[in-house]
């Protein structure tokens, strides 16, 4: 207990001095100056950090920290993205990989917010992914968005999303069940 360390016998706080020694300062490389594979590697390192936060659910706010890191990936790729030249096959591959990482980051933000039961943020993140050119028919995003709408008691919005999901994936069992719940709950809540 830190408070016990700084209090003396008469219960008044003691004055303490903390000395910090800076050993080295490394200026990070400008992302815009990085070449293709360097950019992918940088984004992958951010993704690894996010995954560590996500996997360690024992600490409070770790899902939020993971979501923040996934958002950092989206911003990094969006604002400093890299497009290959037309005839650059290796560059086109790297561009596709960055786009895939960006799509995965959106999906993982949705899952993080779902874990935190932050239903409004689930719908917002899913909407961003579905509106993006990346993945307008992303089944996972549609399911989580529909689920969040049902949790928010926005049954009509949930129904619309889930019906769209089932046009993309008619065999989506969980989507079918959730659509039935949305329809039933709307009748119960009326």
């Amino acid at each position: 207990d830190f408070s016990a360390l700084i209090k003396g016998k008469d219960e008044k706080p003691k004055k303490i001095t903390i000395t910090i020694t800076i050993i080295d300062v490394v200026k990070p490389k400008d992302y815009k100056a990085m070449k293709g594979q360097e950019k992918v590697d940088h984004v992958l390192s951010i993704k690894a950090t996010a995954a560590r936060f996500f996997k360690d659910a024992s600490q409070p706010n770790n899902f939020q920290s993971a979501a923040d890191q996934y958002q950092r990936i989206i911003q990094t790729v969006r604002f400093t993205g890299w497009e290959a030249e037309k005839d650059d096959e290796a560059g086109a591959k790297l561009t596709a990989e960055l786009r895939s990482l960006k799509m995965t980051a959106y999906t993982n933000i949705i899952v993080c917010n779902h874990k935190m039961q932050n239903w409004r943020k689930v719908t917002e993140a899913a909407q961003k992914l579905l509106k993006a050119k990346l993945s307008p028919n992303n089944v996972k995003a549609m399911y989580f968005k529909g689920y969040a709408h049902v949790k928010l008691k926005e049954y009509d919005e949930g129904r619309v999303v889930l019906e769209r999901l089932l046009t993309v994936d008619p065999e989506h069992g969980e989507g079918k069940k959730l659509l039935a719940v949305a329809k039933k709950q709307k009748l119960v809540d009326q």
Side-chain angles (χ1 to χ4, degrees), residues 130 136-139 142-143 158-176 179 183:
L130 295 169
N137 292 319
N138 187 296
V139 171
M142 285 188 271
Y143 175 77
R159 182 186 50 77
V160 169
V161 173
L162 293 166
E163 286 173 350
R164 181 173 164 218
L165 161 69
L166 293 172
T167 61
V168 173
D169 182 2
E171 302 304 315
H172 196 283
E174 292 299 313
K176 289 178 183 179
L179 179 59
K183 289 177 178 179

Side-chain angles (χ1 to χ4, degrees), residues 8-188:
K9 293 180 183 176
D10 57 0
E11 296 299 315
K12 291 184 182 176
K14 291 181 188 178
K15 183 177 179 180
I16 61 171
T17 303
I18 298 174
T19 304
I20 299 173
T21 303
I22 299 174
I23 297 171
D24 192 12
V25 177
V26 178
K27 183 179 178 190
K29 189 170 183 181
D30 180 19
Y31 187 78
K32 288 181 182 180
M34 291 180 190
K35 301 295 180 204
Q37 188 59 51
E38 285 180 288
K39 288 186 177 196
V40 171
D41 292 343
H42 178 70
V43 170
L44 287 171
S45 72
I46 298 169
K47 183 180 177 191
T49 300
R52 282 192 301 275
F53 280 122
F54 186 85
K55 289 176 184 174
D56 185 11
S58 65
Q59 298 296 315
N61 301 321
N62 269 7
F63 288 125
Q64 184 59 55
S65 296
D68 293 343
Q69 292 300 309
Y70 290 123
Q71 185 61 44
R72 188 171 156 218
I73 290 170
I74 293 166
Q75 291 169 338
T76 299
V77 174
R78 178 187 303 144
F79 297 118
T80 59
W82 183 72
E83 293 292 327
E85 297 296 322
K86 287 183 180 179
D87 297 331
D88 181 7
E89 193 172 313
K93 194 174 186 178
L94 291 172
T95 299
E97 188 171 359
L98 284 170
R99 284 189 178 137
S100 175
L101 287 165
K102 184 176 174 183
M103 185 180 75
T104 299
Y106 270 117
T107 305
N108 290 345
I109 288 170
I110 294 166
V111 173
C112 288
N113 283 303
H114 178 83
K115 293 278 190 185
M116 293 184 292
Q117 298 181 5
N118 191 335
W119 308 122
R120 183 60 56 209
K121 284 190 176 184
V122 170
T123 62
E124 291 166 1
Q127 185 61 26
K128 286 179 185 176
L129 176 57
L130 295 169
K131 278 194 162 189
K133 294 177 184 175
L134 292 169
S135 189
N137 292 319
N138 187 296
V139 171
K140 191 173 188 178
M142 285 188 271
Y143 175 77
F144 279 110
K145 184 178 181 189
Y147 186 96
H149 278 303
V150 171
K151 285 294 201 177
L152 291 166
K153 298 185 179 187
E154 297 170 347
Y155 303 116
D156 288 334
E157 292 89 341
R159 182 186 50 77
V160 169
V161 173
L162 293 166
E163 286 173 350
R164 181 173 164 218
L165 161 69
L166 293 172
T167 61
V168 173
D169 182 2
E171 302 304 315
H172 196 283
E174 292 299 313
K176 289 178 183 179
K177 290 177 191 174
L178 189 55
L179 179 59
V181 168
K183 289 177 178 179
K184 182 180 177 184
Q185 280 303 119
K186 182 177 180 182
L187 294 174
V188 170

